[in-house]
Every structure is written in structure tokens, then in C-alpha cells.
Amino acid sequence: MRFFLLIVFLWGLTSEAFATTAPNSTPVNSAPIIANTQNSQDLMYQQLFSMQSQLVRLDEKLQQQKSLGNDIKTLEGAQQALKVQLANLQTKLEAQNNLQANNFTGFNGRIGDLKDSINWWFSILTIFLALGGLLIYKLSRKEAENVAHQQVEGFISSNADEILANAQVSLEKQLGEANTSVEYLKKYIDEAHQIIEEKRKEVEAAADDVQRSFTEKQEPNPESLRILENSTNKLSKGHTTAREYSNLASVGYGKKNYKETLKYLNLAINTLKDSEKQTRFHAQLLWNKAIVHSMLQDVNAELKAYDELIQNFKSIHNEESWGFVAKAMLNQGVAYAKEEKFEDALNSYAALLEQFKGSSNEEIQIRVAKAMCNQSAVYCRKKDFRSALKSHSILFKQFRSSENSEIKDVIADLQANIAEQALLYETPEQVLSRVAEAEKYSEDPQLLAVMQFIRFLLDDKSIEEVFTALTKIPTEMDLTWNFGELKDYLTNNFKGIKQQQIQAVVQYFEQHKDIEQLGVELGIKG
């Protein structure tokens, strides 16, 4: 018993020492509670130890009296009363502990993280509990565990300030490490997003490049086609978007697989979301569809696609799609003219001029100029030279001051075409005047050679000068000029060697034969 009291005394000294050395950084909210309850808790622990000691002694007496066969009812009553008092004391102590624990609920979830911070405390407690164990060896295991648990709780309560301070340091350290990890991860996420964005832009640029070749009927850049094809290799057929189908169509077009291109274009059109309809993307798909039909030489389907585009967008005020409408109207007129449906062609050109003549968009103005030029050409084919001159006059008046190179080429082409047609309707002097105007506005070697040929027809140039002009046409240049409207004129108005020379030149434009062979046919010695 003396040894037990000594240990209790040492525990008191230890608790007092810990309380003295603990940091004075108790939180404002918890300080009053700890101060008010500390003395009552110490008293309760002393009563608890006293009751437990009395209970041990009663157990010994009961065992002795039982072994002697004596009456033990009195001892049992005392034992039961002591147990009741012990239970009440434990209940009060638990209530005090719960009240104090509520002030530290913010750290309940982190108690496992505090093991390293309080290991040295538990080392001292282990020694203390070992000594205490020598004294209370007769207690049951469960009671000993309860005592140890209560002692630990008392120790933590007595040193709450220091424990909380250590916990705050530990949490701040872990929070700093977590923030460092988050920043490190964010850096790599940002880099991944940057790589994905660069790849997306690369694919979009390749798609635009292939699309330009699509629109202009040119061979696509092989590298752009490769990038676009690689981007479409892993597309899922069950989740492909309209834009992905469009890219597949562009790949097919680049490979000149026009039937496959048409299949993907139709899929793209049918897959359009409501938000994508009647947008520039939608107009582009319909335009591409018409171009593919033209490559397949299906004029009726081509005309139908142009009409679908025009009807869907001619009343839309979304301006970015107007360029496709203007091009569709222009190409529709060209397709009708090839079929010699001249009235339909003129109607297409008239619709374009009515809707876009006043547009300030330069690309649309190029289509307007071309429509006027083609309109004049159709009138010439109808042998309506007066109407042809009227269209020419309107075009020249509206665009003669334009600095756009394409519009300048359109004016030069129309000047040359009018000079050619004038052979049928005007005097040689008037024709030569128109030829001079055409030469002034053009640097095209093919057009200049045609003007030299017209001068030859009017005896203003020799065949040698015509041949020299023809040699200046690059061999890779496609010869697009034809003399269809002049065939009767050329056949009926010339004879002999000049007729032969005329026919040789006409055939050269139609067949683009070897220039040296043309020289032989013209009788020109090298």
C-alpha cells in the first residue's frame, strides 16, 4: 500500500512537472474549461484509485471468508455499494473527459498522425505503468486496462496545450508538403494540356490546308495529309462527330478516293448537331459535296448540291457563310453553261449579282466580278454581243480601279474575250483597239499569245510573231483558251497557207502539242 501511495505521489509530481513545462499557448476557447476542470479531475482520479484499492481488499476478504465458511453477506453488500460508487465516479469522469474532448474535436481525426510527436511521452508512461503494474497486479486485466486508459487520458488532458501545439506544427508541415505535391502535379497537368493543345492546333492546321486544296481543286500538301490521316486512324465509328467525319472526307479527297469522300461527307451532314446547322461548317460540307460530284463528273448531283447550299443559306444573315453561297451560285452558272443551259446559267449569275453586288467583302467581290465576266461570255455564246458588251461595261466601270490581283485577271480575261468576239461584229480597227486594251491589262502569256493571233488574223502580225508569243507560254501551263465561237469565222474567211496556219494554231490550243512540231507545221525554220 505504501508503494502504491509512493507511485501515486510520483504520478502527481510527474503531472505537475509536465504541466509546468508545457507551452502556455492554450487556445482562447479551451483555456477556461481546462482551468476549471483540472482540480476536480485530479480529485476524481484519487477517489478512483482509492475505490479500486478498497475493492481489491474486499475481494481478498471475501475469498478468505468463503474459504472459512463464514457469513459474507455484509462484505458482499459493501462490495456492491463500492462498485456503485465506482461506476458513478467513472460516469462523472467520462462526462468531464467528453466535455474537455469537445474542445479538441478538430484534432480527433488526426490523432493517428500525432504518434511521432508524442512517442517520448508514451515512453515515460510505459515506465510509469510498469511500476504501477507491480502495485495493482491483483486487479483483473480489464480493470488494469481501464486504469491505464484513464491515466493516458488524464495525461493528455494535463498536457493538452503542448500536444495541440505539436499537432499544429505537424499539420502545417504536412499541409506544406501537400501543397508542394499539388503544385508539382499542376505543373505536369499544365504541360500535358499544352501538348494536347499544340497537337489539336497541328491537326486543325492540317485539316484547313487539305480543305483549301479541296476547295481549289488542287493536290493537298503531303505532310498535311499525313497529319490529318494519322489523327483519324483511331476514330471510333460509334462516337464520331461531324467534324471527324469531315476530316475523314478530306483524307479521302487527298487520296482521290471520291466515293469514300462522298460517303463521309454525307455522314458528316447527317451527324450535325442543331447548333452546327446553318453555320459556316455546314455550308462548307455542302460545298465540298458539290465539288466531289464535279470530280465524279455527275453534273446533276453537283447542281443539286449547289442548290441545297443556296437554299439553306441565301437568307441567312450568319456573313461568314455568304462566301460559300456566292461560290455556289457562280459554279452553278458555270455548270449550267457547260450543259449549254444558258438561261439557267444567266439566272444563277443574276441571282449572285442581285444578292452580293453591294458587298464589301473582297472574296465575295471576286465572285461578283467573275459572275459579270461569265455572264458576258454566255451572251457571246448566245450571239448577243450587245448584252455581252453591257456586262463588260458594268464590270469595267465597277472594278477597273481594284488592286486585287484576281479581279485584275478577270478584267483582262473579259477584255480579251470581247476583243475576240468583236471579230464577228465590229470593224478591224475597232477590234485592234480592243486588242490593245486587253494587252494593256494583262501579263498572262497565254492571253497575250491569243491577242497576237487575233492581230495575225487581221494582218497586223506575222505567223512568226505569233509563234514567238506561243513559245513564251510555260510548258506546264494548261491551255484553257478555245475558239469555239470563231470556228465558222475561221473556216469561211481564210484560205490557202494562212488557213492551214490558223488550223495548226487552233489545234495546238486544243491539244497542246509539242511547240517544235507546231513550228514545223507553220513552216517556220529553226
Side-chain angles (χ1 to χ4, degrees):
M1 182 64 183
R2 289 178 181 175
F3 187 71
F4 177 79
L5 292 176
L6 177 62
I7 295 304
V8 171
F9 174 73
L10 290 175
W11 166 253
L13 289 177
T14 305
S15 301
E16 184 177 355
F18 287 155
T20 303
T21 59
N24 188 19
S25 59
T26 308
V28 175
N29 292 337
S30 61
I33 297 175
I34 293 175
N36 293 336
T37 59
Q38 187 63 54
N39 293 333
S40 62
Q41 271 191 315
D42 291 344
L43 180 61
M44 288 181 183
Y45 277 123
Q46 292 173 10
Q47 292 175 351
L48 181 65
F49 289 141
S50 176
M51 289 181 182
Q52 287 175 339
S53 297
Q54 293 178 33
L55 194 61
V56 169
R57 289 196 296 271
L58 281 173
D59 286 340
E60 291 177 348
K61 288 182 180 181
L62 280 171
Q63 295 299 327
Q64 291 174 357
Q65 294 299 322
K66 282 183 180 180
S67 63
L68 295 173
N70 296 331
D71 184 11
I72 59 174
K73 289 183 178 181
T74 302
L75 292 175
E76 286 179 340
Q79 183 189 45
Q80 186 62 33
L82 189 60
K83 284 183 178 181
V84 171
Q85 293 178 15
L86 182 61
N88 290 336
L89 185 61
Q90 287 177 333
T91 300
K92 291 180 180 179
L93 184 60
E94 287 176 359
Q96 287 278 18
N97 289 337
N98 289 336
L99 179 62
Q100 190 169 357
N102 287 337
N103 291 278
F104 308 114
T105 54
F107 294 92
N108 285 344
R110 302 292 298 169
I111 198 66
D113 295 334
L114 301 179
K115 289 182 179 179
D116 293 337
S117 302
I118 60 175
N119 274 342
W120 66 280
W121 295 109
F122 281 111
S123 298
I124 296 174
L125 288 175
T126 301
I127 297 172
F128 172 76
L129 293 175
L131 292 173
L134 294 174
L135 180 65
I136 58 174
Y137 69 94
K138 290 184 179 181
L139 295 175
S140 66
R141 182 175 179 180
K142 181 176 180 180
E143 291 172 338
E145 289 175 351
N146 288 337
V147 170
H149 178 70
Q150 291 165 358
Q151 289 172 342
V152 170
E153 287 184 340
F155 169 76
I156 292 176
S157 299
S158 300
N159 298 277
D161 291 345
E162 185 168 353
I163 292 174
L164 290 175
N166 291 336
Q168 183 175 1
V169 172
S170 176
L171 288 173
E172 288 177 352
K173 179 181 178 182
Q174 293 183 31
L175 182 60
E177 292 174 351
N179 288 336
T180 301
S181 299
V182 169
E183 290 298 321
Y184 187 76
L185 181 61
K186 184 177 181 295
K187 174 184 175 183
Y188 279 93
I189 290 174
D190 290 342
E191 289 178 356
H193 280 306
Q194 183 177 358
I195 293 172
I196 292 171
E197 181 64 15
E198 289 175 354
K199 187 64 178 177
R200 183 186 66 79
K201 289 181 178 178
E202 181 185 49
V203 172
E204 286 184 355
D208 290 342
D209 190 37
V210 175
Q211 176 59 40
R212 279 192 293 273
S213 69
F214 206 132
T215 302
E216 298 168 8
K217 297 185 179 180
Q218 296 177 350
E219 291 290 330
N221 182 295
E223 179 62 15
S224 296
L225 185 62
R226 183 192 66 78
I227 293 172
L228 189 60
E229 185 174 13
N230 287 343
S231 73
T232 59
N233 284 339
K234 298 180 180 180
L235 293 180
S236 170
K237 293 183 178 179
H239 301 86
T240 307
T241 65
R243 291 190 180 276
E244 289 169 339
Y245 278 130
S246 176
N247 287 346
L248 287 168
S250 294
V251 171
Y253 183 83
K255 292 182 173 181
K256 298 183 179 180
N257 189 339
Y258 300 126
K259 290 186 178 179
E260 181 178 275
T261 303
L262 192 60
K263 178 186 75 173
Y264 286 125
L265 284 173
N266 285 326
L267 285 170
I269 293 169
N270 293 333
T271 312
L272 284 171
K273 299 177 182 177
D274 289 340
S275 60
E276 294 175 313
K277 292 178 180 178
Q278 293 189 322
T279 62
R280 185 181 187 280
F281 177 52
H282 186 191
Q284 185 177 39
L285 291 174
L286 293 173
W287 166 260
N288 291 351
K289 184 177 177 180
I291 295 300
V292 174
H293 282 304
S294 73
M295 301 301 290
L296 292 170
Q297 298 183 347
D298 188 344
V299 178
N300 290 331
E302 179 187 0
L303 289 168
K304 183 178 180 181
Y306 288 138
D307 191 60
E308 184 179 1
L309 171 56
I310 293 167
Q311 295 305 319
N312 269 280
F313 289 92
K314 69 178 182 180
S315 59
I316 298 296
H317 297 292
N318 185 8
E319 188 175 349
E320 61 180 6
S321 64
W322 288 355
F324 287 107
V325 176
K327 289 193 294 184
M329 290 176 170
L330 181 66
N331 279 25
Q332 189 181 56
V334 172
Y336 278 130
K338 285 182 180 178
E339 295 293 297
E340 297 189 349
K341 297 179 178 179
F342 299 132
E343 293 303 321
D344 289 331
L346 290 172
N347 288 337
S348 295
Y349 297 139
L352 191 160
L353 297 176
E354 180 181 358
Q355 184 162 352
F356 298 112
K357 187 176 180 179
S359 173
S360 60
N361 184 294
E362 190 172 43
E363 287 298 314
I364 293 178
Q365 284 300 296
I366 291 172
R367 311 305 165 193
V368 170
K370 288 184 176 181
M372 290 179 178
C373 181
N374 291 355
Q375 190 179 55
S376 179
V378 170
Y379 282 128
C380 287
R381 293 181 67 181
K382 290 183 64 179
K383 303 187 184 304
D384 186 353
F385 190 62
R386 184 181 296 275
S387 295
L389 286 176
K390 183 178 179 181
S391 295
H392 166 266
S393 177
I394 294 172
L395 171 62
F396 191 73
K397 181 179 179 180
Q398 182 170 342
F399 294 104
R400 65 182 174 183
S401 60
S402 174
E403 293 299 322
N404 184 278
S405 59
E406 285 192 65
I407 292 179
K408 285 183 176 181
D409 289 341
V410 170
I411 293 175
D413 286 343
L414 183 54
Q415 294 274 51
N417 187 61
I418 288 294
E420 178 193 31
Q421 296 299 313
L423 285 168
L424 303 176
Y425 305 103
E426 296 183 333
T427 66
E429 292 76 14
Q430 289 175 310
V431 175
L432 289 174
S433 176
R434 294 190 184 281
V435 168
E437 283 293 311
E439 290 172 336
K440 184 170 68 175
Y441 279 92
S442 179
E443 296 179 356
D444 184 343
Q446 179 179 202
L447 188 149
L448 293 174
V450 170
M451 294 300 100
Q452 291 291 298
F453 181 61
I454 293 175
R455 287 182 179 276
F456 168 70
L457 295 176
L458 298 175
D459 297 325
D460 189 57
K461 293 290 181 179
S462 67
I463 193 62
E464 286 79 10
E465 290 174 299
V466 174
F467 180 74
T468 299
L470 289 171
T471 61
K472 294 180 180 179
I473 301 175
T475 55
E476 67 274 10
M477 178 180 282
D478 291 332
L479 296 181
T480 58
W481 204 274
N482 67 75
F483 301 90
E485 291 87 359
L486 294 181
K487 283 188 177 180
D488 291 340
Y489 169 83
L490 297 176
T491 301
N492 298 329
N493 290 279
F494 302 94
K495 297 180 181 179
I497 294 176
K498 190 165 187 173
Q499 173 70 282
Q500 294 174 12
Q501 293 171 335
I502 290 171
Q503 294 304 319
V505 172
V506 171
Q507 289 176 14
Y508 178 76
F509 273 94
E510 291 176 348
Q511 302 173 15
H512 203 184
K513 296 189 299 185
D514 186 85
I515 190 68
E516 295 181 359
Q517 179 63 32
L518 176 60
V520 172
E521 293 177 1
L522 295 177
I524 298 174
K525 297 180 180 180

